[in-house]
Amino acid sequence: VLWFVASRFFLFRTAKSDHAAGLRDAAPTIRKMMACYYFFAAFWKVNTSFLNPHYSCAPVFIAQLAAAFLPSAWLTPTLGWLVTTTAPTVTLAVEFATAVLLWQDASLELRRVGVLLALKLHFLIAITPRPNH
């Protein structure tokens, strides 16, 4: 609902002025909304099902990515154990960090790091091989 109201406000405003000014005005609101999205995406993963590597989907995604894109010489049992046991925690850390970095107003560079984290997360999800892509 908030997204709908905010987008209509900015679309109405940009219809009366230039689009660049409308985007500059909308950027802080959109950034805060995306920060909320990443915060709550991480928040709802803080549960025993997601944090347990035996039940979580995160190790499955990471294991598929490793098997598909890492050289076979790197695919050792130790690396497999390390990657799969830390995957839920790393996922939460990335999503919470993205939320904090997008929310803050102090540094443009930190906001860009937040955008890069989000892009990297979604890129890895997008290239996950079948059957979980």
Side-chain angles (χ1 to χ4, degrees):
V1 173
L2 179 61
W3 176 258
F4 178 78
V5 171
S7 66
R8 295 304 170 246
F9 169 76
F10 289 114
L11 286 175
F12 177 75
R13 181 162 182 210
T14 55
K16 294 184 175 189
S17 64
D18 68 299
H19 290 289
L23 288 174
R24 277 192 303 276
D25 291 345
T29 302
I30 293 168
R31 190 169 31 85
K32 299 289 185 186
M33 292 168 71
M34 293 306 296
C36 288
Y37 165 78
Y38 283 102
F39 175 82
F40 285 107
F43 176 79
W44 288 113
K45 288 180 179 90
V46 181
N47 60 62
T48 55
S49 294
F50 186 81
L51 292 173
N52 186 331
H54 295 99
Y55 306 115
S56 178
C57 61
V60 175
F61 278 89
I62 295 297
Q64 283 186 294
L65 286 166
F69 298 109
L70 290 180
S72 59
W74 292 10
L75 300 176
T76 64
T78 304
L79 178 68
W81 175 84
L82 180 67
V83 166
T84 56
T85 56
T86 61
T89 307
V90 170
T91 302
L92 283 178
V94 168
E95 287 183 343
F96 276 127
T98 300
V100 169
L101 292 169
L102 290 176
W103 186 270
Q104 61 82 32
D105 292 322
S107 169
L108 176 61
E109 289 80 18
L110 289 177
R111 285 196 306 264
R112 287 179 177 165
V113 171
V115 170
L116 287 174
L117 279 176
L119 289 173
K120 182 176 180 181
L121 174 70
H122 291 285
F123 175 75
L124 290 174
I125 292 169
I127 66 168
T128 301
R130 289 184 178 267
N132 294 315
H133 70 111

